[in-house]
Amino acid sequence: MPLDQMLPLSGGMGISFTDDDEGGGAPLAEKRDAILWGAAGDDLKGSGYSRLDDRYGPLTIRRVYQRPDDGIPKSWARSNAASDVGKRASCWSGKPDMGDVASGALDERIVGFLRSIPKRHVAFVTIWHEPDAKLKNGTFSLSTYRKGFRRFCGLVKQVQDDGWPRLYTVQIVTTWAGTNPSKGRTYEDMWPGDGLVDCYGADGYSHVGSKGSLWGPAVEFARARGIPWCVPEIGYGNKGSRDVSWMNDQIAYMTSTAAGGKHTRCAFACWFDTAGPISRPTPGDNGAWIAAAKKASRKYFFEPGEFML
């Protein structure tokens, strides 16, 4: 089926694209209130994502990352986000050697990887999400992280300028770093500098807070820098609230709260539907949680091929 036709999703909805493989396509409509709903599942390559989509979709973005041993893949088609193309947007993060990124040793590999992303595909990209946790355990130093992430974002900007209008940089931190700041791991400490990050991402869980007490510091940080915000991971913690009202409260907050830039809502949100060290699958197999996620996906459905910040 040609890419300018509808590609089926659950519920009879679909994703439309209006451009070809070579160009960026016609200018996108000025619609800045869209929010994409997605999830992070157990399978990094996304082969089982249709099951999640059937249960609480239509899901219009997928949270995915590479393992450290993967480095920077040779191409998008060989990355864990390959299965998203033509179906949904991607929030992708890699874990290359940060020293090599900072030194410029991976410049050619990174640029080649970014240029392999289809121009029609909406992709939020980053490296080493949740750097506050990595700084705490000594994976890399703050100076190496800032230098490496700044260089990575600069390379993305070069590719954007060459005609990739649906490619966005995202910095992904934890809400904990905002609600419980620690010297050397604050939002300000980790910031690579203005003009480099297109969207500010915060991963948040129920045991840290709710609504403004959870997302507020990240929203204010993004607002002060004139960029929108997003939620690459959201879910229930291993302790604290696990009532469906918490999910509904976060949905209401994300769909009514703007940070900076022209976007009038959280740009996207992905349920963390996999077991984590501090969390449980959300919505998992809980019927009430599934219903809440499905209601949000349907109420705020937006074609990802038409999405813009």
Side-chain angles (χ1 to χ4, degrees):
M1 179 183 292
L3 285 172
D4 60 354
Q5 297 181 20
M6 300 295 285
L7 297 174
L9 277 174
S10 63
M13 300 176 181
I15 299 174
S16 63
F17 296 101
T18 58
D19 58 333
D20 55 34
D21 289 337
E22 299 301 322
L28 300 178
E30 288 283 339
K31 185 174 177 61
R32 307 285 186 167
D33 64 346
I35 177 171
L36 302 177
W37 285 102
D42 289 321
D43 179 12
L44 290 179
K45 291 188 178 296
S47 62
Y49 204 70
S50 60
R51 182 181 67 87
L52 304 185
D53 192 50
D54 288 343
R55 292 169 68 206
Y56 52 88
L59 301 177
T60 49
I61 190 169
R62 185 168 70 98
R63 176 75 181 101
V64 61
Y65 56 90
Q66 305 294 143
R67 302 288 189 184
D69 289 346
D70 296 338
I72 297 291
K74 289 184 177 181
S75 68
W76 190 259
R78 297 179 66 173
S79 78
N80 286 338
S83 63
D84 296 334
V85 176
K87 299 177 182 178
R88 62 189 74 88
S90 303
C91 176
W92 175 92
S93 63
K95 296 181 179 181
D97 184 285
M98 192 55 95
D100 287 345
V101 178
S103 71
L106 293 179
D107 282 6
E108 184 176 352
R109 181 65 170 253
I110 291 171
V111 169
F113 172 71
L114 296 171
R115 287 181 177 277
S116 73
I117 301 174
K119 289 183 178 180
R120 67 184 179 270
H121 185 63
V122 177
F124 293 84
V125 297
T126 194
I127 52 174
W128 286 101
H129 63 278
E130 300 184 359
D132 38 306
K134 284 70 177 181
L135 292 168
K136 183 178 181 180
N137 66 23
T139 300
F140 39 68
S141 69
L142 177 60
S143 61
T144 299
Y145 169 73
R146 281 171 55 96
K147 185 177 180 180
F149 189 57
R150 184 163 52 241
R151 193 174 192 100
F152 174 82
C153 290
L155 295 173
V156 178
K157 291 298 177 182
Q158 290 178 24
V159 175
Q160 287 176 340
D161 291 343
D162 288 339
W164 273 257
R166 296 170 174 85
L167 175 63
Y168 301 107
T169 56
V170 58
Q171 184 174 33
I172 303 174
V173 297
T174 67
T175 54
W176 181 263
T179 59
N180 296 271
S182 178
K183 185 177 180 180
R185 301 194 299 274
T186 66
Y187 290 166
E188 184 66 45
D189 292 331
M190 295 181 287
W191 183 243
D194 293 347
L196 293 170
V197 176
D198 295 316
C199 196
Y200 199 64
D203 292 348
Y205 292 86
S206 61
H207 62 282
V208 181
S210 178
K211 298 185 290 186
S213 69
L214 178 61
W215 314 106
V219 169
E220 290 301 321
F221 188 85
R223 185 177 294 150
R225 283 146 189 83
I227 59 174
W229 72 297
C230 60
V231 179
E233 294 180 15
I234 176 175
Y236 288 110
N238 284 335
K239 56 185 179 181
S241 173
R242 287 197 290 270
D243 188 277
V244 71
S245 63
W246 182 87
M247 285 180 67
N248 291 325
D249 284 346
Q250 308 326 300
I251 292 167
Y253 183 88
M254 291 185 289
T255 55
S256 63
T257 305
K262 297 180 180 180
H263 216 75
T264 59
R265 288 183 169 130
C266 174
F268 69 84
C270 295
W271 303 110
F272 199 65
D273 204 355
T274 184
I278 61 170
S279 63
R280 62 181 302 172
T282 309
D285 295 323
N286 185 294
W289 303 356
I290 292 170
K294 185 174 184 177
K295 182 178 179 180
S297 295
R298 290 179 173 261
K299 181 177 181 179
Y300 297 101
F301 173 81
F302 187 80
E303 298 281 0
E306 299 175 6
F307 180 89
M308 64 189 309
L309 283 182

